[in-house]
């Protein structure tokens, strides 16, 4: 048989032959994407309820972001960090505006933003808190996800992520998430900072209690500890506020950003913080990255933020406000299913977790795929719905009704087994 060169099978075979087997994949190859949908090489259409873990919050191939990218790519590409360029300043200014922070330092992938924050917390601890050199501790939460470098996996609780990759980086103390008294007990004179996700995304859409972050903030103020929030997934409008910490009425000392800052077309991450913290940690020659802060990054980052803030003429609101509105709608529709397989629906904005009574999340994801809805399980019992923030209401409705159909199939399966 002659293989159709444009088939899913062709692209999958090619990848499996030459690519590493490091990331388990669903069995199709995406070829084309637009807005909240994509199409595989066999022509099947999917609603994208993952949005690349929030990287395409502005919608796939967003025309304004693509235009900024292509115009800048034709005009000026990479020039190194050794010179100023004509786009990056405006981008940093915009990040400063949305974060309310004085200064911004950009890198590429999200985990590099996390690495920057670790450097900043440690350096600040040695300089300002006089922690003995190389003795700084950073408190993190169990069940976290902050990325995949050797340092960051050192404080992961996922065995799968770290096994065989040691020795591990010392200087991290792990405590239960959303357990303030355990966190308080872990603090000592070597504690430089606390690094937390405002909602644990990969951990299963775990939302802390309302008083958790205010208490953490108060503790940090009392002890002179820096509070650093990883807003890579929860930030840039995902939860219906520009940043998730706004829900808790607190401000961190360091904000880590990533994913949607690159508008789906460029890996852009970084930290936003005070001038004091930035100056204390970073001096000429001790940080840098070839592509970070290059002209294309500047153009894309700016366009990505402007797209989040742009008032959409038909709706009279921007994408951040839309995340809140459409998120509430999605959560209400899911709750209204009142389905016997669903234990809980939780979320903020368009970051929504659907908790099942049974460990069926992966099977549900496979069922949804057959129906043309792409969503991923984050835990055995949790499915995540986190579509692009521009998702049309009718695609939300379609996803919910297809989820209902898939879950009905499981009811038959479970009751059939019992009968
Ligand atoms: C995705 C993610 C990261 C890592 O970002 P990469 O771009 O994959 O390196 C870190 N923290 C959180 C909360 C994330 O969701």
């Amino acid at each position: 048989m002659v293989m159709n060169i444009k088939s899913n099978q062709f692209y999958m075979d090619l990848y499996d032959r030459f690519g590493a087997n490091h990331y388990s994949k669903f069995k199709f190859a995406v070829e084309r994407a637009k807005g909240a949908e994509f199409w595989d090489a066999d022509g099947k259409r999917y609603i994208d309820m993952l949005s690349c873990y929030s990287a395409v919050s502005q919608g796939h191939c967003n025309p304004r972001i693509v235009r900024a990218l292509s115009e800048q790519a034709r005009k000026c590409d990479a020039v190194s960090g050794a010179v100023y360029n004509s786009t990056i300043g405006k981008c940093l200014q915009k990040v400063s505006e949305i974060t309310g922070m004085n200064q911004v330092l950009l890198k590429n992938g999200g985990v590099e933003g996390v690495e920057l924050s670790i450097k900043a917390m440690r350096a600040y601890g040695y300089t300002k808190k006089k922690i003995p050199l190389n003795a700084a501790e950073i408190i993190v939460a169990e069940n976290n996800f902050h990325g995949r470098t050797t340092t960051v996996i050192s404080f992961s609780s996922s065995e799968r992520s770290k096994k065989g990759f040691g020795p591990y980086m010392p200087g991290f103390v792990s405590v239960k998430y959303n357990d303030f008294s355990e966190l308080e007990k872990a603090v000592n004179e070597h504690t430089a900072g606390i690094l937390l996700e405002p909602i644990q995304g990969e951990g299963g859409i775990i939302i802390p209690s309302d008083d958790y972050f205010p208490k953490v903030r108060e503790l940090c103020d009392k002890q002179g500890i820096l509070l650093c929030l990883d807003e890579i997934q929860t930030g840039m409008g995902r939860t219906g506020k520009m940043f998730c910490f706004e829900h808790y009425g607190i401000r961190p000392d360091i904000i880590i950003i990533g994913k949607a800052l690159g508008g789906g077309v460029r890996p852009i991450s970084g930290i936003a913080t005070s001038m004091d913290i930035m100056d204390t940690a970073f001096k000429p020659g001790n940080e840098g990255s070839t592509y970070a802060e290059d002209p294309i990054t500047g153009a894309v980052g700016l366009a990505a933020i402007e797209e989040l803030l742009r008032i959409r003429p038909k709706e009279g609101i921007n994408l951040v406000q839309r995340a809140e509105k459409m998120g509430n709608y999605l959560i209400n529709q899911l709750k209204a299913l009142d389905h016997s397989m669903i234990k809980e629906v939780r979320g903020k904005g368009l970051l929504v977790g659907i908790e099942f009574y049974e460990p069926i999340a992966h099977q549900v994801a496979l069922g949804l795929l057959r129906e043309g809805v792409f969503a991923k399980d984050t835990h055995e019992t949790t499915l995540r719905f986190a579509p692009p923030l521009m998702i049309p209401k009718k695609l939300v409705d379609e996803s919910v009704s297809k989820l209902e159909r898939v879950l009905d199939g499981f009811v038959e399966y479970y009751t059939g087994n019992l009968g």
Side-chain angles (χ1 to χ4, degrees):
M1 191 188 112
V2 179
M3 180 78 76
N4 174 7
I5 218 150
K6 284 188 169 168
S7 68
N8 281 339
Q9 198 58 53
F10 174 80
Y11 293 120
M12 293 192 296
D13 289 346
L14 192 62
Y15 184 90
D16 288 342
R17 165 62 186 81
F18 294 105
N21 187 18
H22 64 298
Y23 207 124
S24 51
K25 294 185 191 313
F26 292 101
K27 302 292 175 216
F28 63 99
V30 180
E31 193 174 48
R32 210 155 49 78
K34 190 172 193 302
E37 294 163 282
F38 55 58
W39 289 262
D40 71 18
D42 294 350
K44 181 170 172 175
R45 166 262 199 184
Y46 302 81
I47 301 173
D48 182 5
M49 295 300 278
L50 182 67
S51 63
C52 195
Y53 308 95
S54 286
V56 293
S57 285
Q58 298 90 338
H60 284 284
C61 299
N62 180 293
R64 287 176 181 80
I65 295 171
V66 168
R67 194 190 313 135
L69 170 73
S70 60
E71 280 176 5
Q72 188 58 43
R74 275 188 220 105
K75 190 173 169 193
C76 182
D77 46 13
V79 292
S80 94
V83 293
Y84 294 90
N85 72 61
S86 65
T87 71
I88 198 66
K90 190 97 182 101
C91 173
L92 301 182
Q93 182 184 35
K94 216 57 188 174
V95 175
S96 162
E97 264 170 45
I98 60 170
T99 55
M101 292 292 189
N102 280 328
Q103 287 204 317
V104 182
L105 176 56
L106 297 184
K107 294 279 270 192
N108 312 283
V111 74
E112 294 175 83
V114 178
E115 293 273 350
L116 282 184
S117 79
I118 294 168
K119 285 184 177 175
M121 285 186 273
R122 285 176 173 177
Y124 197 82
Y126 299 133
T127 310
K128 300 282 167 139
K129 225 185 146 184
K130 307 292 177 208
I131 296 172
L133 202 58
N134 298 331
E137 286 180 4
I138 291 169
I139 301 176
V140 299
E142 287 168 15
N143 202 29
N144 67 68
F145 183 80
H146 297 290
R148 306 279 194 182
T149 57
T150 49
T151 290
V152 171
I153 60 165
S154 296
F155 56 87
S156 167
S157 22
S158 156
E159 256 319 287
R160 219 173 28 176
S161 303
K162 61 196 292 187
K163 197 169 165 227
F165 294 145
Y168 303 114
M169 171 71 89
F172 298 95
V173 179
S174 196
V175 299
K176 229 186 251 115
Y177 189 67
N178 196 23
D179 183 331
F180 179 72
S181 68
E182 206 186 300
L183 176 72
E184 199 176 21
K185 280 187 208 117
V187 168
N188 64 47
E189 71 279 10
H190 290 170
T191 308
I194 297 175
L195 168 63
L196 295 167
E197 295 160 86
I199 290 175
Q200 288 192 322
E202 298 313 296
I205 322 293
I206 309 298
I207 303 172
S209 43
D210 287 340
D211 62 347
Y212 180 63
F213 276 103
K215 282 183 181 164
V216 175
R217 178 69 270 179
E218 200 186 327
L219 174 70
C220 287
D221 288 341
K222 256 195 238 149
Q223 305 278 339
I225 297 166
L226 297 181
L227 176 58
C228 174
L229 294 184
D230 181 344
E231 290 263 12
I232 291 173
Q233 185 162 160
T234 52
M236 311 299 292
R238 170 58 51 187
T239 69
K241 305 262 189 209
M242 186 55 91
F243 291 98
C244 188
F245 65 75
E246 296 168 37
H247 290 287
Y248 308 133
I250 58 127
R251 286 190 55 77
D253 302 295
I254 302 173
I255 305 169
I256 311 174
I257 45 179
K259 296 215 162 101
L261 179 59
V265 300
R266 185 104 177 140
I268 309 178
S269 72
I271 57 169
T273 185
S274 68
M275 204 171 285
D276 183 29
I277 293 169
M278 201 68 97
D279 279 349
T280 303
F282 300 110
K283 318 212 182 277
N286 77 359
E287 225 338 291
S289 182
T290 305
Y291 280 100
E293 305 194 335
D294 75 355
I296 296 179
T297 296
V300 167
L302 179 64
I305 296 171
E306 282 179 341
E307 188 57 8
L308 288 175
L309 296 172
R310 183 176 65 89
I311 301 292
R312 304 164 68 79
K314 277 191 202 135
E315 298 165 297
I317 53 175
N318 67 24
L319 271 185
V320 183
Q321 295 162 320
R322 196 175 188 284
E324 181 185 22
K325 192 174 150 190
M326 203 47 72
N328 287 338
Y329 178 73
L330 170 61
I331 290 169
N332 286 335
Q333 293 302 99
L334 288 167
K335 284 183 174 165
L337 287 182
D338 196 22
H339 203 281
S340 63
M341 301 301 296
I342 297 179
K343 187 176 174 191
E344 186 190 34
V345 177
R346 57 175 180 261
K348 283 191 193 297
L350 279 169
L351 184 57
V352 178
I354 304 156
E355 183 79 29
F356 303 114
Y357 285 104
E358 312 287 341
I360 55 170
H362 186 67
Q363 291 304 315
V364 173
L366 291 174
L368 282 171
L369 270 191
R370 281 192 292 276
E371 300 277 342
V373 175
F374 177 56
K376 250 194 87 178
D377 43 308
T378 72
H379 258 215
E380 287 176 347
T381 55
T382 320
L383 186 78
R384 164 175 36 199
F385 269 2
L389 308 183
M390 45 58 65
I391 186 172
K393 183 163 169 281
K394 68 175 201 300
L395 295 189
V396 171
D397 290 336
E398 187 181 334
S399 301
V400 171
S401 73
K402 286 181 167 171
L403 175 67
E404 182 176 31
R405 193 180 325 166
V406 169
L407 290 179
D408 286 346
F410 280 92
V411 174
E412 277 164 35
Y413 173 80
Y414 276 94
T415 51
N417 271 6
L418 289 173

